[in-house]
Amino acid sequence: MQKLLQLPASAVNLVRCPPGAAGEDAKSPVLPAEGGQQSWYSALQADELRLLKAPEQQPAPDNSAGASRTQPLRHDDLKEMLDSNKDSLKLEAMKRIVAMIARGKNASDLFPAVVKNVACKNIEVKKLVYVYLVRYAEEQQDLALLSISTFQRGLKDPNQLIRASALRVLSSIRVPIIVPIMMLAIKEAASDMSPYVRKTAAHAIPKLYSLDSDQKDQLIEVIEKLLADKTTLVAGSVVMAFEEVCPERIDLIHKNYRKLCNLLIDVEEWGQVVIINMLTRYARTQFLSPNQNESLLEENAEKAFYGSDEEDAKDDKTEAASLVKRKPYVMDPDHRLLLRNTKPLLQSRNAAVVMAVAQLYFHLAPKAEVGVIAKALVRLLRSHSEVQYVVLQNVATMSIKRRGMFEPYLKSFYIRSTDPTQIKILKLEVLTNLANETNISTILREFQTYIRSMDKDFVAATIQAIGRCATNIGKVRDTCLNGLVQLLSNRDELVVAESVVVIKKLLQMQPSQHSEIIKHMAKLTDNIQVPMARASILWLIGEYCEHVPKIAPDVLRKMAKSFTNEEDIVKLQVINLAAKLYLTNSKQSKLLTQYVLNLAKYDQNYDIRDRARFIRQLIVPTEKSGALNKYAKKLFLAQKPAPILESSFKDRDHFQLGSLSHLLNAKAVGYQELPDWPDEAPDPSVRNVEVPEWTKCTSREKRKEKVEKPFYSDSEGESGPTESADSGEGSICHDVRAWASVAVGTDSLTPSLPGQHLTLGSPSEEEEEEGKKAKKKKPQRDREGGSESSSEEGSVSESSSSESDSGSDAEESQSETETKRRKTVKSSDPNRDQRHGDFCFICPGILPLPSLYPHLISSVPQVISPVFSSVKTYELLHRMTGEGLSVEYYFSRQPFAPDPHMVAVQIQFSNNTDSEVKNVRISEPKLLSGMRVQEFKEIESLAPGETTSVVMGIDFCDSTQAANFQLCTHTRQFYGAIQPPVGELMAPVFMSENEFKKEQGKLTGMSEITEKLTLPETCQSDHTIVQRVTSAANVSRVPCGADNEYRFAAKTVTSGSLVLITLEKKEGALAQLTVNSEKMVIGTMLVKDIIQALTQ
């Protein structure tokens, strides 16, 4: 999109105008006048089209007429390409147009030519057309209205992107006449199968509301419907629509409150911010304040815990009433649910999400729990300066009321020389708020360093911060005052001026003790020129003139000399000083006072003239002066309270933290006030969701009830643990093979594992008895497994339970034969477990059992086909690099027992040296965000020539990014990395054919990737195709009625997203591969890997 298409040399010559053609009409150089296509255009290849050069990059002709015609010609070219019958030309034209829009160019005159292609059958062209229309539909409303029927047809398109784009364009046409059409489209889209379309419908709701607010009632119905949506993609958008249209309808949130809390962790970051802010206001209206009874909670916690109902019943009514009043606070479970589900988001990479959770905890959490947000906010201080500014604004507000939670991170607020001035001042604010008797010495040392900064605004703010510290902490007041007095001799006038202002405020607290400082400041009037500082000195001398009776008249004399040249603020203080001296020492200052008042009487500033006339009448007794003359001393020399130096953030907490209003300290447009806590908690039952009757009692619970009575008889219960364990393993293997043989349609399975041979034959009497025991134990495991299977597989287990009952006879008939198979396997290779570590490695062609055996999904692999793929081993550390220690690994495709969301990796260590290798372990894993590693237990010793295997688990977060770590021994460290093929990021799942089709229908559009391929002669049989697909990916085969179609299913290990694979054989050697998955990146990579495996 950055580069425009470049014309070849021949085309450039055609585009340029000849010198004499300035007055002619502009004609297309591409097509002749009659509309036929030019020969060079059809001869262009796709690569040449991509190199078409944009006209603005061409050298302009010398004459101005030619230059002015370049723009129309370029657009004419694009129009001709859009009118072409070739989709490739239309696509290239649309790419150029979208590129122009991306760079801020105006392409509105192409609207008629573009809008005609909205009905184009090519999906890629249609997508770009809708991108263009969303941009210009509001500007070209009349032309957009002509295509309204096409947009309506787009709402029925099979592709979810086209449906969503059509709705987006429709909602961008700001014409009241189409409001009914928009409303109908939004209602239909709200019921769409695709969550992406439903999300777009939620985005369209505020647009329609701003166009016609009379539709509010109907829009609320749509919002109520979308709020019930269980998809994370829709949640954030519909809550935003709720906030825009009907934030007062809190009743719509009641039924969806718990669902929103549980979905919050999986919603996109923008949606998380919106939902958290909404839930903050919701919680303030529905729950009691957790900090209202802190003292009562501490006093009565023990009594409330140990109290009994019987003892309470003995109390009389009066005592009961008093107990109710003093009842300790108990947090509502829904309140706790919100706090618990938002806490993990403090680790989000998005600063807005962290800030939203921080404000939620500050406004909703008990004081004892608010401290968890401090570390997350301090982490954000490493972000960009813009993020730091917003975070520090909120930290400054929090630190006033919750000083303790930021004290451990005091050094994080120390100022760097590279910080912008605004950040420095905010950090000063926080440091001042955190100052106490314990850390004040450290903070003052920091402030002394800051005063030497070259940033004058920052220095002035530092001096003010020192003054605030002296005001708040009396212990260091004298120290701060002495330090500020020393600054009066600073060379920088601004530093001196700011020090004077702060000292003036500090001296008001103990003026009698600091007369020497006042005398020192009086001497500065000759040097300081900053108006505010001069005014502060004059005010101090006038206010405490009794402490400096000899200096004050002399200061007035000097100021009277320069009165006419002073600033207005200084003149006012000179008049005040003259008045106070006239009242206290009229003998020395009477004439000076009259002189100053006469000067002020004719000053240009009317404030000064008025002040002079007022004071003259007040202090100089005349016949006209009234009774106020008697009270002149009380008016001028009254005792004034010392100023309180407070933080400018003290009163900002009434705004919701993180909001624009809090940042500006003024109510912004659209700001919603944070409600006060209720006195009594509203009814919590409004958040209860009724469960339909048919879901209340499941077949699993019925199976649980049957398990309650003992299943084994006494004789069977006395059998030893070895026998029961063996028979249990055998029945599992039997269940696996029996089900696999039914699924594949074969009667026998012949695995090709080394050292492992299965023999089929008639069972002996002893084996038949063991088979009967296994047959009896199997139903109990079925019932136990029902309770352990996940909720996601509930529908599968319920649907297959009837099938399992009908097929139980067939399974039992095979149990005796399977007993012999089990014995043969065990006897043929007793050291199998030792060779392969902790897991029994079978093959990649495995899958979980159907939901008839849900308890086996996380413990034993199940074979579905007779084809076993070879294990691919990867080298982690070569013996030359590892100085004799070689390390290899492979993906065992076994569930990792400690954590089912991790991929099991089998690692084999070989010591090729003559010495012992000790303390082999993993350390310092360097992982991307979200990835986790479960390290293997340290290998204490590895003898020369010895080989050992271990298993470690890695959560790759459904990504093929490598997990980097250090492999350490007692002497050396080696760097290693394990990078998984995309096929190893999934685990097989069982699905019926109908379930496969149903899930595949949900994963269309962007979630579907289709590629065509040619199968080689060596890959034509069913056996080979299945083997190669299962070798490329850890998937299970799904039964399919068609002979020419192969289906496979799996779920990603981390997120559990379905991955559905369909391979359809066409005529000859042609085939079509389709992968359906929400994880589009995984789907794309999986298609490449499977095609490579099939065509090699």
Side-chain angles (χ1 to χ4, degrees), residues 813-862:
S813 66
Q814 296 186 16
S815 64
E816 296 175 359
T817 305
E818 188 53 39
T819 305
K820 183 175 181 180
R821 296 181 189 173
R822 182 184 71 254
K823 281 197 167 186
T824 307
V825 172
K826 289 164 60 180
S827 61
S828 62
D829 192 0
N831 298 322
R832 174 171 54 93
D833 292 341
Q834 283 75 9
R835 276 207 323 271
H836 293 289
D838 297 334
F839 293 110
C840 172
F841 183 75
I842 297 180
C843 73
I846 60 175
L847 81 165
L849 284 173
S851 54
L852 179 63
Y853 308 102
H855 62 289
L856 300 178
I857 290 177
S858 63
S859 60
V860 179
Q862 291 77 33

Side-chain angles (χ1 to χ4, degrees), residues 688-809:
N688 295 337
V689 180
E690 296 181 5
V691 181
E693 290 294 330
W694 60 273
T695 63
K696 289 183 179 178
C697 183
T698 62
S699 58
R700 297 177 188 166
E701 293 177 359
K702 291 179 181 178
R703 288 198 294 270
K704 279 186 186 178
E705 294 172 2
K706 294 179 183 178
V707 177
E708 291 178 1
K709 54 186 179 180
F711 186 81
Y712 295 103
S713 62
D714 294 339
S715 60
E716 291 173 335
E718 293 173 359
S719 60
T722 306
E723 179 183 337
S724 63
D726 291 347
S727 62
E729 180 186 351
S731 61
I732 290 173
C733 295
H734 152 64
D735 296 338
V736 173
R737 293 182 176 85
W739 180 81
S741 60
V742 172
V744 180
T746 60
D747 295 328
S748 63
L749 297 173
T750 312
S752 59
L753 281 178
Q756 204 171 353
H757 305 283
L758 297 181
T759 58
L760 301 179
S762 58
S764 62
E765 293 179 1
E766 181 181 350
E767 292 166 347
E768 288 178 0
E769 291 177 2
E770 290 186 13
K772 291 178 181 178
K773 290 183 181 180
K775 185 169 59 179
K776 290 180 180 179
K777 294 177 184 178
K778 177 169 65 65
Q780 184 182 12
R781 288 197 304 275
D782 296 349
R783 288 190 292 272
E784 293 172 352
S787 63
E788 296 173 6
S789 60
S790 63
S791 59
E792 293 178 357
E793 296 169 350
S795 59
V796 180
S797 62
E798 289 171 12
S799 64
S800 61
S801 60
S802 59
E803 298 173 9
S804 65
D805 293 337
S806 62
S808 60
D809 295 336

